[in-house]
Amino acid sequence: MTLTKQMLADRKTTLSEPVEEQRTITGKPVADGVVMGTAVVLTTLPDSLADNSIGNGVKHTLADFQRAVRLTSEQLREFQQRIREGIAEPISDIFASHLAILDDDAFTGKIQSGIESGAAVQDAIRGVTKEYVSIFAHSTHLRFREKVDDLNDIARRLLANLAHQADAGPNTDYHGRILITPMLFPSDMLRLVAQRAEGIILTTGGVTAHISVLAQSLEMPMVFASAELMEDISTGTALLMDANHGTVYTNPGTDILARYGCLLETRGKALTPDGVIRPQTLTSDGRRIRLLTAIGLVSEAATARKLGAEGVGLYRSEMPFLIHNGFPSEDEQHTIYRKVIEEMEGREIIFRTLDLGGDKIPEYFLAAEESNPFLGLRGMRFAYRHREIFSTQVRALLRAAHDRPLKVMFPLVSSVDSFRHARELVEAAIRDLKATNVPHQSRPELGAMIELPCAIGIADALAEEADFLSIGSNDLVQHMLAVDRTNEQVAEWYVPWHPSILRAIRAVVEAARHHHKPLSLCGDMAQDPALIPVLIGIGITALTVPPRRILRVQHLIQQIDAAAVDEIARKVLAASTLAEISGLLGIPHGFPGYGPPASTLDTNAPGDLATSKQA
Ligand code: PEP
Ligand code: MG
């Protein structure tokens, strides 16, 4: 019996007992997954830097410090090695930056001088660390602020090793436990994965890019919820954590368990090689729908393959750029892309070229401040402004696929001219590789992402020009409705089933059909159970969803009667109001703007102002 099944069974048998307080806590999703477990509340990490008791009262020598440095370095190298073996290469940078600090004479040398001048070893470590932390903590640059975590992590490890505590911590098995912790260092996360924790709830310290990418990559479900929200949860409380939405349920009742039962089981089953995923997805009346996946890291490719993806419909190539310490070189990129190709074992992969800008700015890149970044230098505009970055990436892709078919698509294509220009740059890269006798793919298929309203009117021309199309529904909805997808204030206006959007998708389907070009749809609409039927009715035959949603989407499609949804889609496409469409699709919806009345906001405003004035 799986753990989750066991817990469900346990929960059912104890229903006659007094029910503990049930609460729903709304936090922020960090890394996907739905898990159950009992809470383990860590007030401070076992060997935290803040714990002044570590090693105090023991007199250490300079030789002890040097031994602790060596030991720390060995441990980090081991972590690095382990993570390299199991996970994508870019993540190993986390430990590279730790090792760089340890090798830095300005850090360890300074501690050493302190010890030589008579300071206690522990005090010297804490003192120098605090000195550097205070410099970096005040930097406005996030990248430097993350250095604070690295420094604290190193100091904590040095102190523990000094006191021979490195591996002396309890060899806890966190199987069936969800950890609630105020802070987390990358190396702690690795350790928690090794100790089989079900999930993590982070309560302070915010979520750094390192931590969220690492959690996703390690498949560790994770939620961020403030300390106040979590304050009355004690060790032993039963929790169900929906990290896909950032929700945590305490002492979940049968209704919640029933709602999540299928998802809980999916997580375990889907990863077993003999899982229930079928190689092909058919509607109940036999229409074939291709299920592709969206990934951003090499490590996700293996998961995608295991979870039954027919291919990668969207490889977000900016992900390695966002977690690196600088723009990855052509060779580094080549290694990454090659690994993705090899992991997918011949299945189709659509590499999207860099989609930087908007909310995706690498921390090492000093981009000009933009008041409206989503309408700023992003997607292909960024690529054209920084041609060398774009061309380097194209060369890496062409080289990585020298002996395989290659599909490359461009994000946020706004005109046929823009598409042609991108193609010219690809052709130039091919000529260049040929001239220097570098093995490369000379006939890549090139696709356009349809995710701007201006691409809809020219969908037919783009379909003629490109080898394939992909609808990016997140951006398409955001731009067609002029609703920032990250702005909670206007969330109720983000209505993907707006008649204009569904008609736009239909127009793209017709254009692709007319020119016999493959078309897929990615973004959140592709995994929305309320919208998948109408998308199929509109004529979408390939959906790109995150690896962990494949099974659920497949189950849903198997229940769909294609002929029936064709009929619904016909009616939906003829409808012009939100009310009609919500009725046809069974989506409860009021007219946007009937949410919180303006007066509520007005009433709150003076209070907020008064508070801020006093502060
Ligand atoms: C989209 O816009 O739907 C898409 C898949 O791209 P992004 O990476 O911007 O979500
Ligand atoms: Mg997009």
Side-chain angles (χ1 to χ4, degrees), residues 459-466 509-518:
D460 193 72
L462 284 169
E464 185 174 11
E465 196 78 15
V509 166
E510 280 169 1
R513 275 189 190 158
H514 182 225
H515 294 283
H516 309 286
K517 300 288 170 68

Side-chain angles (χ1 to χ4, degrees), residues 314 316 318 352 355 360 378 449 451 472-475 485 522-523:
L314 171 66
R316 287 186 165 100
E318 58 278 4
R352 175 174 77 184
D355 187 9
K360 293 183 268 191
R378 53 176 302 220
M449 280 195 84
E451 44 185 354
S473 65
N474 296 338
D475 273 307
R485 71 198 212 202
C522 56

